[in-house]
Amino acid sequence: MAKGGQSPVNIARHLSGIEFPVSKKDLVDHANGNKADQDVMDILQQMPEREYASMADVMKGVGEVE
């Protein structure tokens, strides 16, 4: 089970309003602009380098990190 900052809901909240498809860099930049917690930033920075087509795709990437 994910802890605090790494919860899917917390990650999704910090990516609110992002338009897909996006790169990993876009995810990191968007979350940073939304003042994401360091835990969220750490997870996003560890995700695989690829294009993400949807929030579900992002959550799959998060699952690969945790």
Side-chain angles (χ1 to χ4, degrees), residues 3-30:
K3 60 186 179 194
Q6 300 172 359
S7 76
V9 171
N10 198 28
I11 291 169
R13 183 171 50 97
H14 285 78
L15 295 176
S16 177
I18 198 164
E19 294 186 25
F20 293 95
V22 296
S23 67
K24 176 181 142 177
K25 181 185 182 312
D26 293 333
L27 293 172
V28 170
D29 290 347
H30 192 86

Side-chain angles (χ1 to χ4, degrees), residues 1 5 8-9 12 14 16 20 22-23 29 31 33 36-38 40 42 46-47 50 52-53 55-58 66:
M1 179 98 191
V9 171
H14 285 78
S16 177
F20 293 95
V22 296
S23 67
D29 290 347
D37 302 330
Q38 189 60 49
V40 170
D42 290 345
Q46 293 174 49
M47 287 172 52
R50 65 174 185 241
Y52 293 87
M55 189 58 71
D57 200 14
V58 170
E66 293 183 324

